[in-house]
mmCIF file of all heavy atoms in Angstrom:
data_model
loop_
_atom_site.group_PDB
_atom_site.id
_atom_site.type_symbol
_atom_site.label_atom_id
_atom_site.label_comp_id
_atom_site.label_asym_id
_atom_site.label_seq_id
_atom_site.Cartn_x
_atom_site.Cartn_y
_atom_site.Cartn_z
ATOM 1 N N PHE A 940 27.445 -51.327 170.423
ATOM 2 C CA PHE A 940 26.067 -51.829 170.549
ATOM 3 C C PHE A 940 25.084 -50.720 170.172
ATOM 4 O O PHE A 940 25.250 -49.581 170.597
ATOM 5 C CB PHE A 940 25.783 -52.290 171.980
ATOM 6 C CG PHE A 940 26.481 -53.574 172.341
ATOM 7 C CD1 PHE A 940 27.567 -53.571 173.206
ATOM 8 C CD2 PHE A 940 26.065 -54.780 171.798
ATOM 9 C CE1 PHE A 940 28.220 -54.752 173.531
ATOM 10 C CE2 PHE A 940 26.708 -55.963 172.104
ATOM 11 C CZ PHE A 940 27.787 -55.956 172.982
ATOM 12 N N GLY A 941 24.096 -51.051 169.378
ATOM 13 C CA GLY A 941 23.053 -50.092 169.018
ATOM 14 C C GLY A 941 23.302 -49.363 167.711
ATOM 15 O O GLY A 941 22.416 -48.701 167.191
ATOM 16 N N ARG A 942 24.526 -49.475 167.171
ATOM 17 C CA ARG A 942 24.854 -48.699 165.978
ATOM 18 C C ARG A 942 23.956 -49.064 164.788
ATOM 19 O O ARG A 942 23.537 -48.200 164.042
ATOM 20 C CB ARG A 942 26.323 -48.915 165.606
ATOM 21 C CG ARG A 942 26.717 -48.186 164.355
ATOM 22 C CD ARG A 942 28.213 -48.167 164.169
ATOM 23 N NE ARG A 942 28.550 -47.798 162.812
ATOM 24 C CZ ARG A 942 29.776 -47.832 162.325
ATOM 25 N NH1 ARG A 942 30.777 -48.215 163.087
ATOM 26 N NH2 ARG A 942 30.019 -47.484 161.093
ATOM 27 N N MET A 943 23.699 -50.340 164.606
ATOM 28 C CA MET A 943 22.911 -50.760 163.448
ATOM 29 C C MET A 943 21.414 -50.459 163.592
ATOM 30 O O MET A 943 20.773 -50.052 162.640
ATOM 31 C CB MET A 943 23.075 -52.278 163.219
ATOM 32 C CG MET A 943 24.476 -52.741 163.026
ATOM 33 S SD MET A 943 25.269 -51.997 161.602
ATOM 34 C CE MET A 943 24.655 -53.034 160.304
ATOM 35 N N GLU A 944 20.851 -50.679 164.793
ATOM 36 C CA GLU A 944 19.395 -50.660 164.887
ATOM 37 C C GLU A 944 18.774 -49.393 165.468
ATOM 38 O O GLU A 944 17.576 -49.179 165.308
ATOM 39 C CB GLU A 944 18.900 -51.889 165.669
ATOM 40 C CG GLU A 944 19.334 -51.979 167.113
ATOM 41 C CD GLU A 944 20.680 -52.650 167.304
ATOM 42 O OE1 GLU A 944 21.575 -52.414 166.463
ATOM 43 O OE2 GLU A 944 20.855 -53.390 168.295
ATOM 44 N N LYS A 945 19.575 -48.553 166.119
ATOM 45 C CA LYS A 945 18.980 -47.425 166.842
ATOM 46 C C LYS A 945 18.040 -46.573 165.984
ATOM 47 O O LYS A 945 16.882 -46.375 166.316
ATOM 48 C CB LYS A 945 20.077 -46.545 167.439
ATOM 49 C CG LYS A 945 19.494 -45.401 168.232
ATOM 50 C CD LYS A 945 20.522 -44.485 168.812
ATOM 51 C CE LYS A 945 19.796 -43.217 169.245
ATOM 52 N NZ LYS A 945 20.627 -42.297 169.954
ATOM 53 N N ARG A 946 18.530 -46.095 164.857
ATOM 54 C CA ARG A 946 17.709 -45.206 164.009
ATOM 55 C C ARG A 946 16.541 -45.952 163.367
ATOM 56 O O ARG A 946 15.469 -45.395 163.203
ATOM 57 C CB ARG A 946 18.570 -44.559 162.916
ATOM 58 C CG ARG A 946 19.713 -43.748 163.445
ATOM 59 C CD ARG A 946 19.236 -42.461 164.084
ATOM 60 N NE ARG A 946 20.219 -42.016 165.067
ATOM 61 C CZ ARG A 946 20.110 -40.915 165.790
ATOM 62 N NH1 ARG A 946 19.064 -40.133 165.669
ATOM 63 N NH2 ARG A 946 21.043 -40.605 166.655
ATOM 64 N N PHE A 947 16.776 -47.185 163.026
ATOM 65 C CA PHE A 947 15.709 -47.993 162.418
ATOM 66 C C PHE A 947 14.550 -48.137 163.407
ATOM 67 O O PHE A 947 13.391 -47.912 163.066
ATOM 68 C CB PHE A 947 16.258 -49.375 162.036
ATOM 69 C CG PHE A 947 15.258 -50.251 161.364
ATOM 70 C CD1 PHE A 947 15.063 -50.165 159.995
ATOM 71 C CD2 PHE A 947 14.483 -51.143 162.096
ATOM 72 C CE1 PHE A 947 14.109 -50.961 159.362
ATOM 73 C CE2 PHE A 947 13.532 -51.940 161.474
ATOM 74 C CZ PHE A 947 13.343 -51.848 160.098
ATOM 75 N N ASP A 948 14.881 -48.485 164.644
ATOM 76 C CA ASP A 948 13.862 -48.643 165.690
ATOM 77 C C ASP A 948 13.129 -47.329 165.911
ATOM 78 O O ASP A 948 11.904 -47.279 166.003
ATOM 79 C CB ASP A 948 14.505 -49.086 167.015
ATOM 80 C CG ASP A 948 14.959 -50.541 166.966
ATOM 81 O OD1 ASP A 948 14.559 -51.245 166.018
ATOM 82 O OD2 ASP A 948 15.721 -50.960 167.861
ATOM 83 N N GLN A 949 13.923 -46.261 165.981
ATOM 84 C CA GLN A 949 13.352 -44.939 166.242
ATOM 85 C C GLN A 949 12.293 -44.591 165.189
ATOM 86 O O GLN A 949 11.209 -44.117 165.503
ATOM 87 C CB GLN A 949 14.480 -43.917 166.208
ATOM 88 C CG GLN A 949 14.247 -42.730 167.106
ATOM 89 C CD GLN A 949 15.587 -42.134 167.521
ATOM 90 O OE1 GLN A 949 16.380 -42.780 168.214
ATOM 91 N NE2 GLN A 949 15.863 -40.935 167.077
ATOM 92 N N ARG A 950 12.640 -44.868 163.944
ATOM 93 C CA ARG A 950 11.718 -44.569 162.845
ATOM 94 C C ARG A 950 10.460 -45.453 162.950
ATOM 95 O O ARG A 950 9.338 -44.961 162.804
ATOM 96 C CB ARG A 950 12.435 -44.822 161.522
ATOM 97 C CG ARG A 950 11.920 -43.932 160.406
ATOM 98 C CD ARG A 950 12.915 -43.830 159.254
ATOM 99 N NE ARG A 950 14.126 -43.123 159.613
ATOM 100 C CZ ARG A 950 15.360 -43.506 159.270
ATOM 101 N NH1 ARG A 950 15.539 -44.623 158.598
ATOM 102 N NH2 ARG A 950 16.397 -42.799 159.622
ATOM 103 N N ALA A 951 10.659 -46.715 163.223
ATOM 104 C CA ALA A 951 9.516 -47.635 163.309
ATOM 105 C C ALA A 951 8.573 -47.238 164.450
ATOM 106 O O ALA A 951 7.355 -47.223 164.291
ATOM 107 C CB ALA A 951 10.027 -49.055 163.511
ATOM 108 N N TYR A 952 9.148 -46.885 165.608
ATOM 109 C CA TYR A 952 8.308 -46.479 166.755
ATOM 110 C C TYR A 952 7.552 -45.194 166.426
ATOM 111 O O TYR A 952 6.392 -45.029 166.778
ATOM 112 C CB TYR A 952 9.147 -46.247 168.018
ATOM 113 C CG TYR A 952 9.937 -47.450 168.509
ATOM 114 C CD1 TYR A 952 11.151 -47.282 169.173
ATOM 115 C CD2 TYR A 952 9.459 -48.752 168.337
ATOM 116 C CE1 TYR A 952 11.885 -48.371 169.626
ATOM 117 C CE2 TYR A 952 10.181 -49.838 168.772
ATOM 118 C CZ TYR A 952 11.403 -49.647 169.417
ATOM 119 O OH TYR A 952 12.128 -50.712 169.856
ATOM 120 N N THR A 953 8.222 -44.269 165.733
ATOM 121 C CA THR A 953 7.576 -43.005 165.387
ATOM 122 C C THR A 953 6.386 -43.260 164.469
ATOM 123 O O THR A 953 5.303 -42.700 164.664
ATOM 124 C CB THR A 953 8.595 -42.060 164.700
ATOM 125 O OG1 THR A 953 9.741 -41.967 165.525
ATOM 126 C CG2 THR A 953 8.015 -40.668 164.493
ATOM 127 N N GLN A 954 6.582 -44.124 163.478
ATOM 128 C CA GLN A 954 5.482 -44.447 162.559
ATOM 129 C C GLN A 954 4.301 -45.052 163.311
ATOM 130 O O GLN A 954 3.147 -44.721 163.068
ATOM 131 C CB GLN A 954 5.973 -45.427 161.494
ATOM 132 C CG GLN A 954 6.731 -44.720 160.379
ATOM 133 C CD GLN A 954 7.502 -45.680 159.484
ATOM 134 O OE1 GLN A 954 7.559 -46.876 159.751
ATOM 135 N NE2 GLN A 954 8.090 -45.146 158.431
ATOM 136 N N LEU A 955 4.628 -45.897 164.291
ATOM 137 C CA LEU A 955 3.598 -46.556 165.084
ATOM 138 C C LEU A 955 2.805 -45.532 165.896
ATOM 139 O O LEU A 955 1.570 -45.533 165.904
ATOM 140 C CB LEU A 955 4.281 -47.545 166.035
ATOM 141 C CG LEU A 955 3.503 -48.779 166.411
ATOM 142 C CD1 LEU A 955 3.382 -49.703 165.214
ATOM 143 C CD2 LEU A 955 4.227 -49.516 167.549
ATOM 144 N N VAL A 956 3.524 -44.648 166.552
ATOM 145 C CA VAL A 956 2.866 -43.632 167.374
ATOM 146 C C VAL A 956 2.027 -42.706 166.491
ATOM 147 O O VAL A 956 0.880 -42.384 166.819
ATOM 148 C CB VAL A 956 3.913 -42.831 168.194
ATOM 149 C CG1 VAL A 956 3.271 -41.640 168.887
ATOM 150 C CG2 VAL A 956 4.572 -43.724 169.239
ATOM 151 N N ASN A 957 2.598 -42.320 165.336
ATOM 152 C CA ASN A 957 1.845 -41.455 164.417
ATOM 153 C C ASN A 957 0.540 -42.117 163.980
ATOM 154 O O ASN A 957 -0.512 -41.495 163.921
ATOM 155 C CB ASN A 957 2.672 -41.146 163.168
ATOM 156 C CG ASN A 957 3.797 -40.168 163.486
ATOM 157 O OD1 ASN A 957 3.811 -39.542 164.547
ATOM 158 N ND2 ASN A 957 4.756 -40.058 162.573
ATOM 159 N N LYS A 958 0.617 -43.406 163.703
ATOM 160 C CA LYS A 958 -0.555 -44.148 163.261
ATOM 161 C C LYS A 958 -1.620 -44.178 164.366
ATOM 162 O O LYS A 958 -2.803 -43.965 164.107
ATOM 163 C CB LYS A 958 -0.130 -45.591 162.905
ATOM 164 C CG LYS A 958 -1.108 -46.355 162.103
ATOM 165 C CD LYS A 958 -1.063 -45.934 160.637
ATOM 166 C CE LYS A 958 -2.381 -46.244 159.938
ATOM 167 N NZ LYS A 958 -2.516 -45.514 158.669
ATOM 168 N N VAL A 959 -1.167 -44.424 165.596
ATOM 169 C CA VAL A 959 -2.117 -44.457 166.724
ATOM 170 C C VAL A 959 -2.772 -43.083 166.875
ATOM 171 O O VAL A 959 -3.990 -42.976 167.080
ATOM 172 C CB VAL A 959 -1.403 -44.885 168.040
ATOM 173 C CG1 VAL A 959 -2.336 -44.743 169.234
ATOM 174 C CG2 VAL A 959 -0.905 -46.316 167.932
ATOM 175 N N GLU A 960 -1.974 -42.031 166.711
ATOM 176 C CA GLU A 960 -2.522 -40.665 166.807
ATOM 177 C C GLU A 960 -3.586 -40.443 165.725
ATOM 178 O O GLU A 960 -4.663 -39.912 165.998
ATOM 179 C CB GLU A 960 -1.392 -39.637 166.665
ATOM 180 C CG GLU A 960 -0.576 -39.474 167.942
ATOM 181 C CD GLU A 960 0.474 -38.368 167.857
ATOM 182 O OE1 GLU A 960 0.896 -38.036 166.726
ATOM 183 O OE2 GLU A 960 0.856 -37.843 168.917
ATOM 184 N N ASP A 961 -3.252 -40.877 164.502
ATOM 185 C CA ASP A 961 -4.206 -40.720 163.393
ATOM 186 C C ASP A 961 -5.510 -41.452 163.669
ATOM 187 O O ASP A 961 -6.605 -40.916 163.480
ATOM 188 C CB ASP A 961 -3.612 -41.315 162.102
ATOM 189 C CG ASP A 961 -2.557 -40.394 161.504
ATOM 190 O OD1 ASP A 961 -2.422 -39.264 162.020
ATOM 191 O OD2 ASP A 961 -1.861 -40.827 160.559
ATOM 192 N N LEU A 962 -5.380 -42.695 164.147
ATOM 193 C CA LEU A 962 -6.561 -43.531 164.368
ATOM 194 C C LEU A 962 -7.423 -43.055 165.526
ATOM 195 O O LEU A 962 -8.640 -43.176 165.495
ATOM 196 C CB LEU A 962 -6.142 -44.991 164.601
ATOM 197 C CG LEU A 962 -5.563 -45.714 163.371
ATOM 198 C CD1 LEU A 962 -4.975 -47.062 163.764
ATOM 199 C CD2 LEU A 962 -6.659 -45.924 162.316
ATOM 200 N N THR A 963 -6.769 -42.509 166.563
ATOM 201 C CA THR A 963 -7.543 -42.093 167.742
ATOM 202 C C THR A 963 -7.939 -40.622 167.669
ATOM 203 O O THR A 963 -8.787 -40.169 168.426
ATOM 204 C CB THR A 963 -6.732 -42.296 169.036
ATOM 205 O OG1 THR A 963 -5.533 -41.524 168.929
ATOM 206 C CG2 THR A 963 -6.404 -43.752 169.282
ATOM 207 N N GLY A 964 -7.268 -39.898 166.791
ATOM 208 C CA GLY A 964 -7.535 -38.468 166.693
ATOM 209 C C GLY A 964 -6.979 -37.694 167.876
ATOM 210 O O GLY A 964 -7.277 -36.527 168.076
ATOM 211 N N LYS A 965 -6.162 -38.340 168.707
ATOM 212 C CA LYS A 965 -5.585 -37.656 169.868
ATOM 213 C C LYS A 965 -4.085 -37.486 169.674
ATOM 214 O O LYS A 965 -3.449 -38.300 169.000
ATOM 215 C CB LYS A 965 -5.830 -38.478 171.132
ATOM 216 C CG LYS A 965 -7.267 -38.449 171.572
ATOM 217 C CD LYS A 965 -7.458 -39.297 172.811
ATOM 218 C CE LYS A 965 -8.938 -39.390 173.159
ATOM 219 N NZ LYS A 965 -9.278 -40.598 173.860
ATOM 220 N N LYS A 966 -3.531 -36.423 170.248
ATOM 221 C CA LYS A 966 -2.083 -36.192 170.117
ATOM 222 C C LYS A 966 -1.413 -36.269 171.487
ATOM 223 O O LYS A 966 -1.984 -35.865 172.488
ATOM 224 C CB LYS A 966 -1.839 -34.785 169.525
ATOM 225 C CG LYS A 966 -2.245 -34.661 168.074
ATOM 226 C CD LYS A 966 -1.014 -34.378 167.202
ATOM 227 C CE LYS A 966 -1.364 -34.243 165.722
ATOM 228 N NZ LYS A 966 -1.266 -35.488 164.962
ATOM 229 N N ILE A 967 -0.198 -36.815 171.515
ATOM 230 C CA ILE A 967 0.565 -36.809 172.775
ATOM 231 C C ILE A 967 1.602 -35.690 172.724
ATOM 232 O O ILE A 967 1.913 -35.193 171.632
ATOM 233 C CB ILE A 967 1.249 -38.181 173.056
ATOM 234 C CG1 ILE A 967 2.159 -38.586 171.899
ATOM 235 C CG2 ILE A 967 0.234 -39.255 173.354
ATOM 236 C CD1 ILE A 967 3.044 -39.778 172.202
ATOM 237 N N SER A 968 2.137 -35.329 173.883
ATOM 238 C CA SER A 968 3.095 -34.211 173.911
ATOM 239 C C SER A 968 4.395 -34.623 173.230
ATOM 240 O O SER A 968 4.711 -35.804 173.086
ATOM 241 C CB SER A 968 3.372 -33.799 175.353
ATOM 242 O OG SER A 968 4.190 -34.783 175.963
ATOM 243 N N LYS A 969 5.181 -33.605 172.853
ATOM 244 C CA LYS A 969 6.445 -33.852 172.158
ATOM 245 C C LYS A 969 7.392 -34.658 173.060
ATOM 246 O O LYS A 969 8.099 -35.571 172.613
ATOM 247 C CB LYS A 969 7.083 -32.499 171.813
ATOM 248 C CG LYS A 969 7.850 -32.570 170.510
ATOM 249 C CD LYS A 969 8.317 -31.204 170.063
ATOM 250 C CE LYS A 969 9.465 -31.428 169.079
ATOM 251 N NZ LYS A 969 10.224 -30.263 168.810
ATOM 252 N N LYS A 970 7.350 -34.317 174.357
ATOM 253 C CA LYS A 970 8.232 -34.989 175.321
ATOM 254 C C LYS A 970 7.889 -36.482 175.430
ATOM 255 O O LYS A 970 8.768 -37.345 175.401
ATOM 256 C CB LYS A 970 8.059 -34.307 176.683
ATOM 257 C CG LYS A 970 9.242 -34.494 177.599
ATOM 258 C CD LYS A 970 9.081 -33.667 178.857
ATOM 259 C CE LYS A 970 9.801 -34.351 179.996
ATOM 260 N NZ LYS A 970 9.314 -33.945 181.294
ATOM 261 N N GLU A 971 6.595 -36.735 175.502
ATOM 262 C CA GLU A 971 6.142 -38.139 175.586
ATOM 263 C C GLU A 971 6.529 -38.906 174.328
ATOM 264 O O GLU A 971 6.944 -40.059 174.382
ATOM 265 C CB GLU A 971 4.619 -38.191 175.749
ATOM 266 C CG GLU A 971 4.149 -38.051 177.179
ATOM 267 C CD GLU A 971 2.623 -38.016 177.260
ATOM 268 O OE1 GLU A 971 2.002 -37.318 176.426
ATOM 269 O OE2 GLU A 971 2.079 -38.689 178.140
ATOM 270 N N LYS A 972 6.400 -38.215 173.192
ATOM 271 C CA LYS A 972 6.703 -38.845 171.913
ATOM 272 C C LYS A 972 8.196 -39.216 171.837
ATOM 273 O O LYS A 972 8.559 -40.317 171.425
ATOM 274 C CB LYS A 972 6.341 -37.900 170.779
ATOM 275 C CG LYS A 972 6.064 -38.612 169.491
ATOM 276 C CD LYS A 972 5.510 -37.636 168.462
ATOM 277 C CE LYS A 972 4.809 -38.376 167.359
ATOM 278 N NZ LYS A 972 4.089 -37.473 166.465
ATOM 279 N N THR A 973 9.038 -38.298 172.263
ATOM 280 C CA THR A 973 10.492 -38.566 172.233
ATOM 281 C C THR A 973 10.804 -39.791 173.081
ATOM 282 O O THR A 973 11.603 -40.638 172.718
ATOM 283 C CB THR A 973 11.265 -37.348 172.791
ATOM 284 O OG1 THR A 973 10.690 -36.173 172.236
ATOM 285 C CG2 THR A 973 12.728 -37.414 172.465
ATOM 286 N N LEU A 974 10.160 -39.853 174.235
ATOM 287 C CA LEU A 974 10.404 -40.968 175.153
ATOM 288 C C LEU A 974 9.947 -42.299 174.554
ATOM 289 O O LEU A 974 10.651 -43.309 174.630
ATOM 290 C CB LEU A 974 9.625 -40.677 176.453
ATOM 291 C CG LEU A 974 10.238 -41.186 177.744
ATOM 292 C CD1 LEU A 974 11.453 -40.334 178.098
ATOM 293 C CD2 LEU A 974 9.220 -41.123 178.884
#
Side-chain angles (χ1 to χ4, degrees):
F940 288 107
R942 178 168 164 187
M943 303 299 278
E944 63 273 38
K945 182 181 165 174
R946 301 288 155 179
F947 182 86
D948 287 347
Q949 210 154 296
R950 209 160 292 137
Y952 300 149
T953 308
Q954 279 167 354
L955 211 70
V956 171
N957 287 347
K958 196 78 204 163
V959 173
E960 282 185 336
D961 284 352
L962 291 171
T963 59
K965 288 179 186 152
K966 290 244 180 268
I967 57 170
S968 73
K969 213 172 160 194
K970 203 173 151 202
E971 275 176 317
K972 204 172 199 171
T973 316
L974 212 73

